[in-house]
Amino acid sequence: MEDRKPTRRVPLRILIGLLELMVFTGVATAWWVWRGDPPQRPTATNPNPSAQTYQSPGGQPSVSPGGNSQAVAPTATIERTVEIYWLQDVNNRIKLAPAQVTLKVADKPDAILQAALTQLLAGSNEPDLTTTIPKETQLRSLRVASDGIHVDLSAAFKVGGGSTSMTGRVAQVIYTATSMDPKAPVWISIEGKPLEVLGGEGLELSQPITRSEFEQDFRL
């Protein structure tokens, strides 16, 4: 006669508990499907919590590199009246002739003087006002510093003309550059090198130079 292992029976109360759990799970699943609520997903966090956003002028938020949000305010534009100095023949004598112009530029001394010098180099539209500055001359840079106004011009500034022509063009640059501050010293350089000699006669130009110093050392 074979030995039979005793069959283990699950207690009735455990079986009933499992059935109740299965029924409850099925009902809950059906309830969420019927409602159509999707399961909640965890909210993504900012990988760079130090980065902050600011509103750009165009209305789009921008994130600054490294998290430093600094919106750069645009420079205000103003209308500023300055004097541009031309040359005029008065009784067979060349003299400086100031002409007022109104410029619409950024409210910064450098920008105002750059616009004035650029207009000077462009030439005059008045028949009685002239210039000895070669038309190919370009303003390479202009900087207002604590020691004066630094003007750097292209090499064309030194082309052609004798001492009178060179003296006249230097005077135009000095007086136009100091239209906002007549007592300011001016540093003139050509292609980054100081302008030391005027014309073919070799007239020396001290640097820096003011209006009063120019009037003492040179005559138009």
Side-chain angles (χ1 to χ4, degrees):
M1 186 175 182
E2 296 180 358
D3 294 335
R4 295 184 180 179
K5 296 181 180 180
T7 303
R8 294 183 179 180
R9 296 183 179 182
V10 180
L12 182 59
R13 56 188 181 87
I14 296 178
L15 182 60
I16 294 175
L18 291 174
L19 292 175
E20 290 178 350
L21 179 60
M22 294 174 61
V23 171
F24 176 77
T25 303
V27 172
T29 302
W31 167 256
W32 288 110
V33 172
W34 178 78
R35 288 192 58 187
D37 293 340
Q40 298 296 321
R41 295 181 179 179
T43 303
T45 58
N46 188 350
N48 185 10
S50 63
Q52 300 178 0
T53 61
Y54 67 91
Q55 197 70 15
S56 64
Q60 297 296 328
S62 303
V63 180
S64 61
N68 296 323
S69 58
Q70 296 180 355
V72 179
T75 305
T77 301
I78 63 169
E79 287 188 353
R80 182 66 181 264
T81 300
V82 297
E83 288 184 333
I84 295 179
Y85 283 79
W86 307 102
L87 300 176
Q88 189 174 30
D89 187 350
V90 180
N91 297 326
N92 295 323
R93 182 179 176 183
I94 300 298
K95 292 186 176 181
L96 284 169
Q100 289 189 343
V101 295
T102 301
L103 306 172
K104 190 173 183 180
V105 291
D107 189 12
K108 297 173 61 178
D110 300 60
I112 296 172
L113 294 180
Q114 284 178 11
L117 264 295
T118 299
Q119 188 155 336
L120 171 66
L121 299 181
S124 172
N125 294 325
E126 300 295 331
D128 59 334
L129 299 178
T130 186
T131 179
T132 59
I133 301 175
K135 63 180 181 179
E136 296 83 5
T137 304
Q138 296 181 352
L139 177 64
R140 299 181 72 244
S141 66
L142 185 146
R143 179 172 56 91
V144 179
S146 59
D147 61 344
I149 302 169
H150 296 252
V151 180
D152 188 31
L153 302 169
S154 64
F157 184 78
K158 297 181 63 176
V159 175
S163 298
T164 301
S165 175
M166 183 65 72
T167 301
R169 68 185 71 174
V170 169
Q172 288 181 261
V173 171
I174 292 174
Y175 277 72
T176 302
T178 56
S179 58
M180 295 175 58
D181 184 4
K183 295 183 179 181
V186 178
W187 303 77
I188 301 178
S189 59
I190 306 298
E191 302 287 344
K193 297 181 179 180
L195 177 61
E196 299 175 345
V197 180
L198 298 181
E201 297 180 7
L203 300 178
E204 294 184 0
L205 179 67
S206 61
Q207 298 270 14
I209 187 168
T210 62
R211 288 187 180 188
S212 60
E213 291 171 343
F214 181 85
E215 292 172 359
Q216 293 175 4
D217 297 340
F218 301 98
R219 278 187 181 180
L220 291 175

